[in-house]
Amino acid sequence: MQKIQMKKGQQGFTLIELMIVVAIIGILAAIAIPQYQTYIAKSQVSRVMGEVASLRTAAEMCLMEGKAASACEWGWSGSDLLLGAATADHSIQGSGLKVGFSGTEALIEAKFGQNASAALSGKALTWTRNTDGKWTCNTDVDDKYKPAGCTGSGS
């Protein structure tokens, strides 16, 4: 009987095949990284919008009780996306978060800084209460970062 030897097939990838895979991954990464950065910046604006919106209830209470903004207990624990650091008594966060009252109107202004995306640095998000008690959100971030319900331009 004669032994039949089987030919061995290709074992592994050629250099050109590996280079093509690396090139494809590089192209995908070049497209995905900027998209991911835009997604992160937009999520940070939405996060600050929600965090700062929680102060509206405290502002309403202070206005109903006739307190000045400086006399209110805000219960703010700080945000690492805003300028400044929270104070020990959990009051408003340095230059990064300011609240002011004028009669029955109120303004809550948050300025991006610290760990916020570079595209947001120096921009602001404001909640404004008019005399009718209606709150509106405005921001001066680029349109591609604006969350639903927050338009216009910040102060």
Side-chain angles (χ1 to χ4, degrees):
M1 259 207 226
Q2 200 176 27
K3 290 186 179 178
I4 300 176
Q5 289 186 334
M6 308 244 339
K7 290 186 178 180
K8 289 188 176 182
Q10 184 178 357
Q11 295 179 348
F13 300 101
T14 64
L15 181 60
I16 192 71
E17 290 171 333
L18 292 174
M19 289 175 66
I20 290 171
V21 169
V22 169
I24 290 171
I25 291 172
I27 291 168
L28 292 175
I31 294 169
I33 289 173
Q35 291 298 326
Y36 181 69
Q37 290 172 337
T38 299
Y39 169 77
I40 291 297
K42 187 170 183 172
S43 70
Q44 288 177 343
V45 175
S46 296
R47 175 182 149 190
V48 167
M49 180 183 172
E51 287 176 347
V52 175
S54 67
L55 296 176
R56 294 182 304 173
T57 304
E60 291 284 348
M61 291 298 296
C62 290
L63 287 170
M64 286 185 348
E65 295 171 359
K67 293 182 180 179
S70 59
C72 293
E73 176 56 47
W74 297 103
W76 180 254
S77 59
S79 173
D80 65 344
L81 297 178
L82 302 180
L83 290 173
T87 57
D89 63 356
H90 301 294
S91 63
I92 301 303
Q93 184 170 332
S95 63
L97 183 59
K98 296 178 183 177
V99 178
F101 298 152
S102 176
T104 59
E105 295 176 348
L107 177 72
I108 303 171
E109 180 183 47
K111 291 197 177 189
F112 292 95
Q114 286 193 50
N115 295 330
S117 171
L120 303 176
S121 186
K123 303 290 186 177
L125 183 138
T126 59
W127 280 101
T128 308
R129 182 188 191 273
N130 65 16
T131 54
D132 297 331
K134 181 182 178 191
W135 288 92
T136 55
C137 178
N138 295 303
T139 184
D140 61 353
V141 300
D142 293 339
D143 288 339
K144 62 183 172 182
Y145 305 129
K146 289 182 184 177
C150 197
T151 58
S153 61
S155 54

